[in-house]
């Protein structure tokens, strides 16, 4: 029987094909990739989203019909991918807004985002902020691409599962003109430590790690960092905080070993096996590690080191949304309270005994992204269909 690649939940649920007049997004998928278990879960969740939209009172002018669609990279046409790439290259040429005295290494608008993520990494990944502040951060990035660089589309995301088995030959990383750039040259890159996850406490290198020499980002100049000492052959930053100007090539390791920890079954179980928000938060960050699992690093880390960059420009935001929408009334404003601190600096047992202590009620927490976006209450950022004073209005497909 022919597979139907459609989001229509009823088409999927009732494969005999009696589709009731459910919501149909203004976008379609690329038939090359069969739906994975998370895509199917997302499709099946759309009826819950519809119910939720009908009962909640805070949507402002946002409806499922006017919500924009953030699509998976390969579901964009090749010209759409190129349009996105052009906008990113444009952002890399615009002047920075981050204060020059504190961030001499920020050379472009693109670096503004890097500089913020770098200096506020602890805050951005703590239990209060991991989900909602990243949602805001990505939205601000999308807005900069659109408002400042004329991008007409929306932020794409990367479904790790589509590329996990062979990322270097995928439409994201094959290094051609419509990819996000290729593999780095072979290097002495040793891989990444994943403390406390013995015996799988090391993500083995994926064969790259050196300069990227093909694709749209082959001439990209990286200036900020490094902060720690990750690669043996990366020049040191002139400042110990990593914020000085240190122009050098763009290095990366497109890494299948890491990607295998972010296949759809991991994402599915992260969403479905963790009803409690603290458990969801912990599992997302790979804490405590799955017992006897060969890739126990959590979606966040596995996604990061799949290509040594931002974890998929939206995939983790999508995962949070699907998790929320399993039980919207109880989960929309669920903020972790007892999650473990990130990054892990204690033994697991100790971290479990001394979970993150909340100092404030989440409703009093303000998210301040400095030069990235205006300060806003945390709980204004949890609903992607009406939050951010109505400016969040998007779904993932
Ligand atoms: C909803 O209204 C706000 C404020 O007028 C506007 O910025 C936003 O673009 C609107 N959203 C949609 C989806 O029409
Ligand atoms: C690049 O690779 C993708 C994925 O294989 C392909 O669809 C596309 O046509 C290729 N060529 C260009 C110029 O983008
Ligand atoms: C996901 O599938 C892989 C490959 O079959 C397996 O090794 C791994 O344990 C699974 N992980 C989870 C969380 O189900
Ligand atoms: C993990 O593997 C060890 C050694 O094979 C085994 O003794 C133990 O029962 C396993 N634990 C779980 C939770 O599966």
């Amino acid at each position: 029987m022919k597979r139907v690649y459609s989001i229509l939940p009823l088409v999927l649920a009732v494969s005999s094909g009696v589709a009731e007049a459910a919501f149909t997004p203004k976008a379609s998928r690329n038939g090359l990739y069969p739906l994975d278990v998370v895509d199917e879960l997302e499709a099946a969740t759309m009826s819950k989203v519809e119910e939720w939209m009908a009962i909640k009172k805070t949507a402002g002018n946002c409806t499922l019909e006017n919500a924009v669609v953030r699509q998976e990279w390969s579901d964009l046409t090749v010209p759409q991918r190129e349009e996105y790439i052009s906008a990113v290259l444009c952002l890399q040429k615009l002047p920075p807004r981050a204060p020059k005295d504190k961030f001499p290494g920020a050379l472009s608008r693109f670096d503004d985002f890097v500089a913020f993520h770098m200096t506020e990494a602890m805050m951005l990944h703590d239990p209060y902020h991991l989900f909602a502040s990243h949602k805001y951060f990505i939205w601000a990035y999308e807005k900069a691409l659109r408002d400042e660089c004329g991008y007409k589309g929306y932020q794409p995301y990367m479904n790790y599962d589509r590329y996990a088995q062979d990322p270097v030959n995928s439409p994201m990383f094959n290094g051609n003109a419509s990819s996000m750039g290729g593999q780095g040259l072979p290097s002495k890159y040793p891989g990444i430590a994943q403390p406390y996850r013995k015996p799988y406490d090391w993500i083995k290198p994926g064969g790259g790690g050196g300069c990227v020499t093909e694709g749209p980002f082959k001439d990209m100049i990286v200036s900020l960092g490094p902060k720690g000492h990750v690669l043996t052959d990366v020049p040191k930053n002139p400042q110990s905080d990593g914020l000085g100007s240190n122009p050098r090539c763009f290095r990366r390791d497109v890494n299948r070993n890491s990607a295998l920890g972010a296949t759809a079954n991991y994402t599915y179980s992260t969403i479905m096996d963790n009803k409690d928000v603290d458990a969801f938060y912990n599992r997302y960050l790979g804490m405590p590690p799955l017992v006897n699992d060969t890739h126990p690093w959590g979606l966040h880390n596995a996604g990061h080191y799949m290509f040594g960059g931002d974890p998929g420009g939206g995939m983790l935001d999508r995962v949070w949304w699907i998790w929320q929408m399993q039980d919207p009334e109880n989960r929309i404003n669920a903020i972790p309270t007892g999650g473990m601190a990130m990054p892990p600096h204690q033994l697991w047992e100790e971290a479990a005994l001394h979970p993150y202590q909340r100092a404030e009620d989440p409703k009093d927490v303000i998210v301040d992204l400095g030069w990235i976006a205006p300060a806003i209450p945390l709980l204004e950022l949890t609903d992607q269909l009406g939050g951010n004073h109505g400016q969040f209005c998007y779904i993932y497909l």
Side-chain angles (χ1 to χ4, degrees), residues 261-275:
T263 48
N265 63 328
Y266 285 91
T267 305
Y268 185 88
S269 67
T270 298
I271 296 169
M272 297 306 276
D273 296 347
N274 297 290
K275 294 190 164 48

Side-chain angles (χ1 to χ4, degrees), residues 21-44:
F23 157 71
T24 319
K26 304 172 291 254
S28 58
R29 290 193 197 265
N30 177 343
L32 282 177
Y33 294 93
L35 298 186
D36 63 41
V37 285
V38 177
D39 297 328
E40 286 175 355
L41 173 63
E42 180 185 67

Side-chain angles (χ1 to χ4, degrees), residues 325-367:
M325 289 298 122
Q326 301 310 307
D327 181 6
E329 266 179 274
N330 291 309
R331 294 190 187 179
I332 194 81
N333 280 337
I335 303 293
T337 58
M340 297 178 191
M342 161 85 187
H345 46 76
Q346 297 164 300
L347 294 174
W348 295 113
E349 295 74 15
E350 215 183 296
L353 285 174
H354 303 284
Y356 183 82
Q357 296 295 313
R358 285 197 329 180
E360 288 172 90
D361 190 319
K363 73 174 167 38
D364 299 327
V365 172
I366 301 293
V367 175

